[in-house]
Amino acid sequence: EGQLVQSGAEVKKPGESLTISCQGSGYSFTSYWIGWVRQMPGKGLEWIGIIYPGYSDPTYSPSFEGQVTISTDKSISTAYLQWASLKASDTAIYYCARAYGGYVGIGFDPWGQGTLVTVSS
Amino acid sequence: EIVLTQSPGTLSLSPGERGTLSCRASQSVTSTYLAWYQQKPGQAPRLLMYSASSRAAGIPDRFSGSGSGTDFTLTISRLEPEDSAVYYCQQYSSSLFTFGQGTKLEIK
């Protein structure tokens, strides 16, 4: 079935860089698309982008294009979400999630446990 | 970009009742690419339905989905207290995903 385990909570200052991770286990990491989703405090879900590990360039939501970078390291079954310069408005929980059944677009399952990113001066 | 609008914003029902949640798209959505999620406080979302009407693995048959084009519905029959959660619809079109804003279901 497989699972995704994300890196721990982060507290950063505005302008700092950050990379959070999402490690897949129990399945063939290179056979499933991985997506990232943001949830700001008390708000709904926002799709950030998606990548097919090791085989494709990521596709980003227009709202996040140029703001974050998605990548993978298939040698360690890990996906990454990266910021070059954080803003206070990046404060949120970030989830990674795997494409259900291996097919992009029909849904995401399973999900990682989420990584809380807090950006404050 | 397709916008998904969910209604109602909040739904308050009693155990044993039927809950009907709506998801309306700004443009036609291929049913294959319409999904529903449940999110409980402090938890990651969980996939309930995919392809509009197919239950994900382990989802009880109290949950059902229907619809096509621009109008989709998630129905929860025989509500239980554990169904209290926020429910989101999601679509995929032109290589982009969007989520609805969510419906909060309260079980009185």
Side-chain angles (χ1 to χ4, degrees), chain A residues 2-105:
Chain A
Q3 66 171 349
L4 300 172
V5 177
Q6 298 185 230
S7 50
E10 301 274 0
V11 180
K12 292 288 189 178
K13 290 180 166 46
E16 292 186 330
S17 63
L18 175 66
T19 299
I20 63 174
S21 66
C22 167
Q23 185 171 41
S25 63
Y27 74 97
S28 175
F29 185 72
T30 54
S31 297
Y32 292 81
W33 294 79
I34 293 280
W36 287 93
V37 173
R38 182 176 79 175
Q39 188 165 39
M40 299 177 76
K43 302 299 183 182
L45 305 174
E46 300 174 89
W47 175 69
I48 297 171
I50 195 166
I51 190 168
Y52 195 58
Y55 295 104
S56 75
D57 290 333
T59 299
Y60 297 95
S61 162
S63 299
F64 290 92
E65 182 87 54
Q67 307 304 307
V68 297
T69 301
I70 293 171
S71 62
T72 61
D73 183 342
K74 57 183 181 179
S75 70
I76 54 172
S77 301
T78 299
Y80 301 98
L81 181 63
Q82 180 179 3
W83 293 261
S85 180
L86 287 160
K87 302 184 283 287
S89 58
D90 292 319
T91 294
I93 296 173
Y94 293 87
Y95 294 101
C96 63
R98 192 187 75 184
Y100 187 66
Y103 301 103
V104 69

